[in-house]
Amino acid sequence: GGLLCRTNRFTDAIDAFRKSLAIKEDWNSYHGLGGALFKTEQYIEAIDAFRNSLAMKEDWDSYRGIGWSLFNTFQFIEAIDAFSKSVALKKDFNTYHGLGSALFKTNQVVEAIDAFNKSLSLKADWRAYQSLGLALLRAKYYSEAVEAFQSSLALKEDWDSYRGLGWALSKENLYTEAI
C-alpha cells in the first residue's frame, strides 16, 4: 500500500490497505489507509482509519492525519485536540500549522499566532507565513502582517498573500503601496 501512495495511485492503495487489514489488523496499515483516504478527500473515512490506528498505537503522524481530516470536516475543536497531541509527541512544522489554522478558525487568534510562529521556527513555509499574516491582520498587528505576507510572497507568489498584503498596507495607511 505505501508504495502505491508514493506513486499517487491512492485508489489502488486504499484497496490494498483494506485487503491487508482484512487479513491482519495493524496500526500502520490503518495509518496508511487514513493517509490514502485523506488524499482522495474521503475525510470521514480517514478519521475512522486514523482512530483505528491510534487505538492500536499512539503515533504523532496519525494524530496529525486525524487533525487535518477533522479540520477539513469543520470539526475545529476536535482538530485542536488532535494537533496538540501530535506536537506533544513530535514537533512538526505542518502539525503546528494545522494547530494554528484550527485555533484561528475558533477565534483563538493569539494562540494561532504562537502556533504559526512555532511552525515557522521549524520550516520557512509560504502557507504558514500567509496564515500568520491573516492572524496578525485579524489581531490588528498590521506592520507585522505586512512582513508575514511579504515573507510568504518571497517564497511563492499567491493571490491570497497579495490580497492580505494589500489589506495590511491599507490598514497602515500606505494606500499607494496597497494599490
Side-chain angles (χ1 to χ4, degrees):
L3 178 61
L4 293 173
C5 276
R6 287 190 288 277
T7 59
N8 292 329
R9 294 177 51 200
F10 299 113
T11 303
D12 292 339
I14 290 167
D15 185 51
F17 282 125
R18 285 189 171 141
K19 286 177 180 172
S20 170
L21 287 163
I23 296 168
K24 180 182 180 223
E25 285 192 287
D26 176 70
W27 78 271
N28 201 25
S29 294
Y30 277 121
H31 174 78
L33 175 61
L37 289 164
F38 179 87
K39 291 287 189 180
T40 57
E41 300 180 1
Q42 298 178 66
Y43 303 122
I44 301 297
E45 294 87 348
I47 291 167
D48 288 339
F50 286 125
R51 282 191 177 137
N52 286 331
S53 175
L54 288 164
M56 299 180 93
K57 179 183 176 188
E58 191 174 45
D59 175 67
W60 74 273
D61 201 16
S62 291
Y63 278 123
R64 180 179 66 173
I66 200 171
W68 279 115
S69 299
L70 289 162
F71 182 87
N72 285 328
T73 56
F74 308 102
Q75 299 177 67
F76 303 121
I77 300 294
E78 295 86 350
I80 290 168
D81 182 57
F83 287 130
S84 296
K85 287 177 179 174
S86 179
V87 295
L89 295 172
K90 181 181 177 185
K91 310 300 182 217
D92 173 71
F93 86 96
N94 183 274
T95 309
Y96 274 120
H97 187 194
L99 176 60
S101 298
L103 288 163
F104 184 78
K105 290 287 190 179
T106 59
N107 294 313
Q108 299 177 64
V109 181
V110 173
E111 295 85 350
I113 291 168
D114 181 57
F116 293 136
N117 280 322
K118 286 178 180 172
S119 175
L120 289 163
S121 74
L122 297 170
K123 180 180 177 184
D125 177 73
W126 73 272
R127 285 185 181 95
Y129 275 119
Q130 183 184 79
S131 297
L132 175 62
L134 293 170
L136 290 164
L137 192 58
R138 185 176 293 173
K140 300 182 179 168
Y141 295 118
Y142 302 125
S143 62
E144 293 90 342
V146 168
E147 290 177 26
F149 288 123
Q150 287 173 334
S151 295
S152 177
L153 289 164
L155 295 172
K156 182 178 189 255
E157 288 193 5
D158 180 75
W159 73 272
D160 210 16
S161 293
Y162 278 119
R163 182 178 65 160
L165 178 59
W167 277 112
L169 288 167
S170 67
K171 294 292 187 179
E172 287 282 284
N173 298 319
L174 299 169
Y175 301 113
T176 304
E177 293 89 337
I179 292 168

